[in-house]
Amino acid sequence: MSSKPEYDLFDHNTAAIIYGYQQNAIQRMLDFDYACKRDLPSVAAIVNPTGGGNHQGFWGSDIINIPIYKQLKDAVTHHPDADILINFASRRSAYQVTIEAISFPSIRTISIIAEGIPEHRTKEIIARAKQNEKMIIGPATVGGIKAGAFKIGDTGGTLDNLIESKLHRPGHVAYLSKSGGMSNELSNIIARNTDGVYEGIALGGDRFPGSSYLDHFKRYEANPDVKMMVMLGEVGGRAEYEIVEALKNGTITKPLVAWCMGTSSEQFSTGVQFGHAGAKAHSDFETARAKNKALKEVGAIVPESFNDLDRKIKETYQSLLQQGKLEPAQDVEPLLVPMDYNQAVAQGLIRKKPNFTSTIVDDRGEELLYCGVPISEVFEEDYGLGGVLGLLWFKMKLPEWAAKFLEMVVLITADHGPAVSGAHNTIVTTRAGKDLVSSLVSGLLTIGPRFGGAVQGAAEIFTEYFYQDQTPKYMVNDMKVKKKNIQGIGHRIKSVTNPDMRVKIMKEYALKHFPVTETLDFALEVEKITTTKRDNLILNVDGCIGALCCDMLRGIGYTHEQVRNFVNLGGLNALFVLGRTVGLLAHIIDQKRIGQGLYRHPWDDILYMLPEHPDNQNN
Amino acid sequence: MAQRPIREYAAKMMLARNWRDYFPSSLTFPAKFVPVSPESDLKLLSDQYEWLSTEPLVVKPDMVIGKRGKHGLVLLNQDWKGAKKWLEEKRGQEITINNLSGALNHFLIEPFVEIDKEYYLSFSSTDEGTDILFSDRGGVDIEDLLEKGEVAKLTIGILDDIDTIDLENILFSNVELEYRNKLTNLVKSFYKYYLDLHYAFLEINPFVLKENAFIPLDFKCRLDDAADFEAASKWGEIVYPPEFGAKLTPEEEYIKNLDEKSGSSLKFTILNPEGKIWTMVAGGGASVVYTDTIADLGFVDEIANYGEYSGNPSTDETYQYAKTILDLMTRRKNPDGEAKYLIIGGGIANFTDVAKTFTGIIKALEDYRDKLTETPVKIYVRRGGPNYQQGLNQMKQLGQNIGLPIKVFGPETHMTEIVRMALSEQGA
């Protein structure tokens, strides 16, 4: 336990537990601590009901780990020196968290950030806190700050503002405000007109605040380092009259500059509800004007208007100085806290070449963009699967005939039964109990020169000869000389007289809709030659897709060279992989659904043909 | 989040729904009442509720209007025919109470009750706990009762247990013995009901005890709407009636809807649409201070609006908010040809991103560029907080780019100084 005097809630060693994983607020606290040259960070632990582990925060340029607990009691047990709980729980759970916190002897102060806690609950919190001698700051507050020592959560905003308002080292002026936003403004006003803030607390805008002006002014009265006080009250409620009483009976003797805002409220005919829940006068007594008057009568220094508040603060400070009642605080250089990368980028202070470049999709804005087209437009304009492939693969809005063709390819290549290599592998893997992705991938991995790769292979061969103005006849002969099969030609069963319906459908579609069919025409010439040799050496489905893909690309404006480039980067394999993925997934689902067990290949289907044991081999 | 009044009908329905859970079985609550809304068809009501045709009736507006009796708005001891005639006459009628005008549109019909003894009972929340006020001379205003010293008062501390308090002697020492026990049970039950259902205020004046029946003749109450998440199932569906006489303009209604949908705060009230000084201020506290300062400098009659935005609203929210104000202030030129003033003010934000909120305001200013020039409008900006340099620079740029007179200040200038600057141009 720290040895600070009773009147101090915070000092240079104060440690807090943060309830709620408020990463920005936590980092701002750490930055403040670092700039103030604290020995240790003020955030001892974090409570996050949905996760444990550690929070990595910056301490200057270094990274520190702050433990995260799921339960408040664990955080309290492990960090008995932390005597403040900063409660960021929502208005729904702030009550339970606070009541629990009150029960721990090591917690001395609780700051409640949430706005909109039910009034009965807040009143119970206040009563229990009083019973257990705990200080409550809030609810509905940003918190408070002790200059050069400790700040609650977001109080004071960003570091540049904290330093501009000289909050990194103590001055001699303590202030209280209901409003959190105005508390930050008060820090600024005080920094510009005196030697700076000693401490400032925002009591919160609720009807029932957890601590009152008087609770804190009594502490400041007792604290010899506080030389003057500032109070920003407001219309509504009676709390300011406690201060009137305290000034009258001598509980407060230090100079107090006070202003209650909301003086204009009674000048409007309709009852305007000002910013805070408590800010409405229910009687003349509760008006800001009456409060200002009462405060002035008992010796508070009250300006004519908020606009003169700065002047009154300055005068009061100057007079203390002249009376020799205070020694102005020395300016201290804060430790330099490195700027956050994101902030530096936003301000255009730094630059860096990115490690990644993407030219097709952008997910950063209001809407996902596919090649510049918002996702909503993709649906409004009915892009369909083919249209999206066009945007993502070819970076263009495809004409309808081309988009439809791509969809046909996907439909036609979707599956070819369980016996082919890809499906077989997928089925065996699925039956071995592997997960969906592993099963899928084991099937996809078979796609290559012998299985499924013919689309790619056919396109390569056809374009190689055709684009170099070679004749079909030359090609057939050349392939024969090189002893290579022509990929895309030949079928196990289908023949000239028994055509493959898939090829027929695509051919007819292309001849009807494609502006260019040059590769198909070439392939059909090749077929004419090969089928004279054998009836089943027809242009097969892979060959047809390969040839037509090249023609489609020509049709949407590709040059021969661009088509070759696309083919060479494996683009046509992509179409087969896409289509067949549908089928492979279907086999996985099918196998799992019917609950097939582990597959073991039967011995009698394997030819075991081992040599003799080497020792027995005759030499 | 605030204390909000509900209709007498809603309060009585709520009581009826929860009666068994809170009140002893020795007491009954004969929940006999019929609401009349603008949609109600009077002809159908008497079929739906047979007792309307057989019992003498009381009819009164149910619109959170105080002192209805004094304003001649309570019809007593009439049959259905008379009640219907009275309703036909009053429905839609424009009345004025305390300078506020509004049309009568919600009513409550109840059986007329012969009174021999009427009681006053109220609960209200204070810093210390709950004040219970009781009188056996109910039926007149509490102020009058207090003046005559005919009210017994008891404060129950927040952590006190009402069952350990001697209510009989504190509250009911004047009451005839036979009623004391009944009243003690009633008040204890009501106290628990009041707390559990998160009432902030509840006044029954008067109520009558007829044998075992508790009959409240008038019910006035406010709920703490922040307790929605705890009490909604006990409340049932609650519609908060508008304040009597309060008529929101379409613009106020629009911002109210925006506010209700947002996690941030967006408030807007028109005070004087012909006013020359419009404000668009960030923060519940700062907005009040700006309004005060304009009034302090003698321009209260020129204050066009009160409003505030806070809690880190999105760019789009500030855009919609700013557009609403700009549209209103540029609808009419000043008759004398003088400029109007727009104060885009605020303190130093703790966590609201100034650049982000200003982006929305700037977009709105760009949209209204021509109208702002025509009106004409002069703009003063003062703000601090996260990314304020960026936000202020964007404002300055905007002034140059679209040729609007925009003066821009940061934390180095006293928060309300821009008000003085603008008004001194006005010859203050």
Side-chain angles (χ1 to χ4, degrees):
Chain A
M1 285 263 120
S2 68
S3 58
K4 53 188 174 264
E6 192 60 26
Y7 54 72
D8 253 339
L9 293 179
F10 327 108
D11 66 15
H12 209 258
N13 297 311
T14 294
I17 295 169
I18 315 284
Y19 191 100
Y21 196 14
Q22 295 282 329
Q23 302 191 34
N24 280 341
I26 290 165
Q27 189 56 51
R28 284 175 184 174
M29 285 175 71
L30 297 179
D31 286 346
F32 174 76
D33 297 344
Y34 185 82
C36 296
K37 302 172 192 168
R38 279 179 56 125
D39 295 333
L40 289 169
S42 63
V43 183
I46 298 159
V47 183
N48 179 15
T50 59
N54 281 291
H55 170 73
Q56 295 202 320
F58 281 110
W59 182 251
S61 296
D62 295 339
I63 297 274
I64 53 168
N65 277 330
I66 301 172
I68 304 177
Y69 300 90
K70 282 191 174 183
Q71 296 193 35
L72 179 58
K73 69 171 191 298
D74 294 336
V76 172
T77 312
H78 287 97
H79 302 274
D81 289 342
D83 65 355
I84 296 185
L85 178 76
I86 302 176
N87 184 357
F88 277 102
S90 75
R91 70 184 187 92
R92 289 161 186 269
S93 46
Y95 161 78
Q96 280 88 349
V97 172
T98 307
I99 293 294
E100 189 191 351
I102 287 171
S103 71
F104 299 118
S106 60
I107 298 289
R108 197 173 155 226
T109 303
I110 302 161
S111 181
I112 307 169
I113 311 300
E115 184 175 352
I117 299 173
E119 289 175 3
H120 290 327
R121 297 299 185 200
T122 305
K123 283 164 64 179
E124 189 188 329
I125 287 172
I126 296 167
R128 295 209 181 278
K130 195 171 273 176
Q131 205 176 43
N132 291 277
E133 295 180 342
K134 310 287 184 188
M135 176 66 85
I136 303 282
I137 299 172
T141 184
V142 69
I145 188 163
K146 176 156 178 173
F150 178 77
K151 86 172 186 112
I152 296 174
D154 285 312
T155 309
T158 45
L159 192 67
D160 55 346
N161 179 63
L162 290 163
I163 289 169
E164 205 171 325
S165 295
K166 296 186 205 161
L167 290 163
H168 60 283
R169 56 103 182 116
H172 288 102
V173 186
Y175 72 79
L176 297 175
S177 154
K178 289 208 96 175
S179 156
M182 288 306 293
S183 73
N184 206 12
E185 190 63 42
L186 280 178
S187 291
N188 177 46
I189 294 172
I190 290 168
R192 288 176 194 282
N193 294 287
T194 71
D195 70 346
V197 170
Y198 176 82
E199 182 179 296
I201 303 280
L203 302 175
D206 269 7
R207 187 182 300 261
F208 299 104
S211 52
S212 67
Y213 298 108
L214 189 60
D215 291 335
H216 296 285
F217 277 146
K218 275 194 204 154
R219 297 196 292 112
Y220 299 149
E221 180 72 24
N223 186 332
D225 292 331
V226 174
K227 301 296 182 192
M228 64 176 271
M229 310 190 286
V230 177
M231 166 174 131
L232 189 59
E234 69 179 21
V235 56
R238 288 151 189 247
E240 291 82 358
Y241 287 104
E242 281 186 1
I243 304 308
V244 171
E245 203 47 45
L247 284 165
K248 221 192 283 180
N249 66 25
T251 310
I252 296 177
T253 61
K254 292 180 181 176
L256 170 66
V257 181
W259 176 251
C260 296
M261 59 195 202
T263 49
S264 57
S265 69
E266 68 249 54
Q267 300 189 43
F268 303 117
S269 56
T270 49
V272 179
Q273 172 66 54
F274 276 148
H276 299 139
K280 196 165 187 174
H282 294 93
S283 64
D284 289 347
F285 191 66
E286 293 188 11
T287 64
R289 223 168 268 281
K291 290 179 184 179
N292 283 328
K293 187 162 168 272
L295 283 161
K296 195 169 186 171
E297 279 168 7
V298 293
I301 301 144
V302 179
E304 291 298 306
S305 155
F306 180 86
N307 209 37
D308 297 326
L309 182 64
D310 55 345
R311 205 163 42 82
K312 288 289 179 201
I313 290 172
K314 187 171 195 162
E315 283 170 13
T316 309
Y317 174 76
Q318 289 295 338
S319 118
L320 285 172
L321 213 53
Q322 277 156 20
Q323 293 167 43
K325 287 192 177 164
L326 67 78
E327 197 59 38
Q330 295 302 307
D331 272 336
V332 179
E333 279 299 309
L335 267 193
L336 190 70
V337 175
M339 183 181 278
D340 258 7
Y341 175 77
N342 288 340
Q343 202 186 347
V345 170
Q347 292 183 16
L349 297 176
I350 53 170
R351 63 186 182 185
K352 157 178 168 310
K353 276 190 185 157
N355 285 315
F356 282 96
T357 306
S358 172
T359 67
I360 47 173
V361 182
D362 191 341
D363 61 332
R364 296 166 303 171
E366 290 271 312
E367 254 197 85
L368 181 63
L369 298 179
Y370 286 169
C371 196
V373 178
I375 191 72
S376 56
E377 191 182 321
V378 167
F379 285 89
E380 279 156 19
E381 310 236 325
D382 213 2
Y383 271 71
L385 176 62
V388 171
L389 286 182
L391 291 175
L392 297 182
W393 289 11
F394 306 110
K395 298 210 281 180
M396 62 164 69
K397 186 174 181 176
L398 290 182
E400 207 182 323
W401 62 265
K404 180 112 189 281
F405 169 71
L406 291 177
E407 287 174 11
M408 284 173 78
V409 174
V410 171
L411 300 184
I412 282 171
T413 56
D415 198 48
H416 202 236
V420 299
S421 300
H424 178 83
N425 257 21
T426 287
I427 290 170
V428 170
T429 313
T430 305
R431 292 180 59 172
K434 299 286 284 188
D435 61 289
L436 180 135
V437 176
S438 303
S439 304
L440 171 66
V441 166
S442 86
L444 288 176
L445 286 173
T446 62
I447 296 173
R450 292 187 179 170
F451 170 67
V455 173
Q456 175 78 22
E460 280 171 16
I461 290 164
F462 290 141
T463 52
E464 186 187 331
Y465 288 90
F466 171 57
Y467 286 5
Q468 287 178 26
D469 292 330
Q470 308 289 0
T471 61
K473 197 175 166 103
Y474 174 81
M475 179 186 129
V476 174
N477 287 336
D478 195 45
M479 292 294 281
K480 195 175 177 187
V481 170
K482 289 179 179 159
K483 295 199 168 64
K484 279 195 203 160
N485 282 331
I486 304 172
Q487 294 208 55
I489 293 287
H491 195 278
R492 222 162 43 84
I493 304 157
K494 300 290 178 188
S495 65
V496 179
T497 48
N498 175 21
D500 185 335
M501 287 316 288
R502 298 174 297 174
V503 176
K504 190 164 170 271
I505 292 166
M506 275 195 288
K507 252 184 347 196
E508 279 169 9
Y509 179 81
L511 292 171
K512 192 167 172 197
H513 297 287
F514 276 35
V516 186
T517 54
E518 52 183 28
T519 320
L520 177 69
D521 297 342
F522 181 84
L524 291 173
E525 287 302 312
V526 171
E527 183 189 41
K528 270 186 197 160
I529 298 165
T530 53
T531 48
T532 56
K533 301 184 176 173
R534 215 176 332 131
D535 195 32
N536 66 347
L537 289 179
I538 52 167
L539 179 66
N540 63 25
V541 69
D542 296 336
C544 183
I545 293 172
L548 283 178
C549 282
C550 297
D551 288 342
M552 186 211 83
L553 293 172
R554 293 282 290 143
I556 61 172
Y558 275 42
T559 63
H560 281 164
E561 197 190 340
Q562 285 173 314
V563 174
R564 285 291 294 179
N565 286 342
F566 185 75
V567 170
N568 288 342
L569 63 83
L572 299 198
N573 255 344
L575 264 179
F576 184 80
V577 168
L578 174 65
R580 188 50 53 92
T581 299
V582 175
L584 296 179
L585 289 169
H587 286 294
I588 298 168
I589 294 165
D590 182 47
Q591 293 299 311
K592 296 231 182 211
R593 201 152 41 199
I594 58 182
Q596 292 285 281
L598 178 68
Y599 177 75
R600 197 173 192 287
H601 205 72
W603 283 328
D604 63 6
D605 192 39
I606 300 170
L607 173 61
Y608 293 91
M609 212 170 62
L610 283 74
E612 290 277 307
H613 190 285
D615 291 350
N616 297 341
Q617 282 176 16
N618 296 332
N619 25 0
Chain B
M1 296 293 147
Q3 301 182 357
R4 298 171 79 175
I6 58 172
R7 292 190 204 281
E8 189 173 343
Y9 169 70
K12 285 181 172 171
M13 273 302 284
M14 202 183 286
L15 185 63
R17 194 179 314 114
N18 294 286
W19 184 263
R20 277 158 171 251
D21 295 340
Y22 286 91
F23 294 84
S25 52
S26 58
L27 278 168
T28 60
F29 173 46
K32 252 182 169 180
F33 38 80
V34 177
V36 179
S37 72
E39 293 80 37
S40 308
D41 185 343
L42 294 184
K43 283 180 214 126
L44 298 179
L45 282 184
S46 51
D47 295 339
Q48 227 173 323
Y49 304 94
E50 279 178 16
W51 57 267
L52 287 179
S53 319
T54 58
E55 293 185 38
L57 304 170
V58 175
V59 192
K60 55 195 175 181
D62 188 6
M63 301 177 62
V64 198
I65 304 171
K67 305 187 175 158
R68 289 170 291 192
K70 279 190 181 159
H71 292 107
L73 292 172
V74 183
L75 181 77
L76 284 173
N77 200 5
Q78 289 279 333
D79 62 7
W80 174 234
K81 205 176 147 199
K84 212 160 63 172
K85 187 164 165 262
W86 189 82
L87 275 168
E88 276 160 4
E89 191 184 300
K90 294 285 177 196
R91 288 176 94 185
Q93 196 182 80
E94 190 86 14
I95 61 158
T96 302
I97 293 174
N98 302 332
N99 297 324
L100 294 170
S101 304
L104 296 173
N105 49 29
H106 281 84
F107 298 83
L108 189 66
I109 313 173
E110 293 177 301
F112 175 74
V113 179
E114 290 288 354
I115 299 171
D116 37 44
K117 185 89 186 157
E118 41 191 341
Y119 302 100
Y120 174 96
L121 177 65
S122 75
F123 301 82
S124 53
S125 289
T126 65
D127 289 358
E128 290 75 33
T130 305
D131 281 355
I132 303 180
L133 268 57
F134 175 83
S135 169
D136 60 352
R137 311 270 167 106
V140 292
D141 286 344
I142 181 66
E143 291 84 3
D144 300 338
L145 290 175
L146 284 168
E147 214 167 276
K148 289 186 212 150
E150 285 172 344
V151 182
K153 179 181 164 185
L154 166 64
T155 298
I156 301 187
I158 295 147
L159 303 178
D160 290 351
D161 178 1
I162 193 168
D163 291 328
T164 64
I165 297 171
D166 183 7
L167 293 185
E168 281 203 38
N169 280 319
I170 304 170
L171 289 178
F172 311 123
S173 53
N174 288 338
V175 182
E176 291 157 68
L177 272 174
E178 53 169 324
Y179 288 109
R180 285 190 195 175
N181 189 33
K182 234 178 239 177
L183 284 166
T184 302
N185 284 336
L186 180 78
V187 170
K188 275 185 183 173
S189 304
F190 247 118
Y191 174 75
K192 288 172 191 167
Y193 175 81
Y194 173 88
L195 288 184
D196 267 14
L197 276 77
H198 290 273
Y199 277 83
F201 175 72
L202 194 158
E203 182 186 62
I204 308 157
N205 184 25
F207 72 86
V208 173
L209 289 175
K210 289 240 167 193
E211 288 157 21
N212 289 326
F214 163 74
I215 305 172
L217 300 185
D218 192 0
F219 223 106
K220 208 163 102 187
C221 56
R222 292 195 298 273
L223 287 180
D224 175 9
D225 71 351
D228 52 351
F229 63 92
E230 282 195 29
S233 64
K234 287 180 176 170
W235 286 352
E237 199 191 331
I238 287 286
V239 178
Y240 295 102
E243 222 173 299
F244 178 75
K247 290 185 197 89
L248 292 186
T249 64
E251 293 79 14
E252 288 170 332
E253 188 79 48
Y254 178 75
I255 301 291
K256 193 169 160 239
N257 284 332
L258 212 59
D259 181 50
E260 277 164 9
K261 276 184 231 138
S262 167
S264 311
S265 170
L266 299 155
K267 301 278 184 299
F268 181 65
T269 308
I270 295 177
L271 297 169
N272 171 16
E274 306 297 326
K276 284 183 193 165
I277 304 157
W278 294 73
T279 58
M280 198 186 306
V281 177
S287 59
V288 176
V289 171
Y290 274 96
T291 307
D292 284 351
T293 306
I294 300 168
D296 287 342
L297 294 177
F299 286 80
V300 67
D301 296 335
E302 294 292 350
I303 302 175
N305 71 305
Y306 168 76
E308 62 105 6
Y309 65 91
S310 57
N312 207 9
S314 73
T315 301
D316 189 57
E317 283 166 346
T318 50
Y319 170 64
Q320 302 295 346
Y321 186 80
K323 244 176 49 170
T324 307
I325 295 179
L326 296 181
D327 191 66
L328 277 166
M329 76 178 293
T330 57
R331 277 190 198 167
R332 268 185 296 275
K333 290 186 185 185
N334 257 347
D336 51 15
E338 277 179 34
K340 293 187 186 181
Y341 291 87
L342 175 62
I343 306 285
I344 301 177
I348 302 169
N350 288 300
F351 55 87
T352 293
D353 186 326
V354 174
K356 195 177 84 186
T357 50
F358 270 20
T359 306
I361 297 176
I362 286 169
K363 205 171 144 207
L365 288 168
E366 281 169 347
D367 286 3
Y368 279 80
R369 170 196 178 167
D370 294 341
K371 284 187 150 188
L372 289 165
T373 314
E374 271 168 36
T375 303
V377 174
K378 292 187 177 177
I379 302 168
Y380 283 83
V381 179
R382 193 277 188 182
R383 187 76 166 120
N387 291 325
Y388 82 93
Q389 299 93 334
Q390 210 183 326
L392 296 184
N393 275 334
Q394 285 166 359
M395 278 286 180
K396 281 184 200 155
Q397 283 287 318
L398 175 80
Q400 286 161 13
N401 293 349
I402 66 175
L404 277 176
I406 305 182
K407 294 195 175 158
V408 182
F409 304 90
E412 71 290 344
T413 304
H414 187 56
M415 192 178 92
T416 47
E417 188 59 14
I418 55 168
V419 173
R420 203 195 49 74
M421 291 183 210
L423 298 183
S424 65
E425 270 193 39
Q426 279 267 305

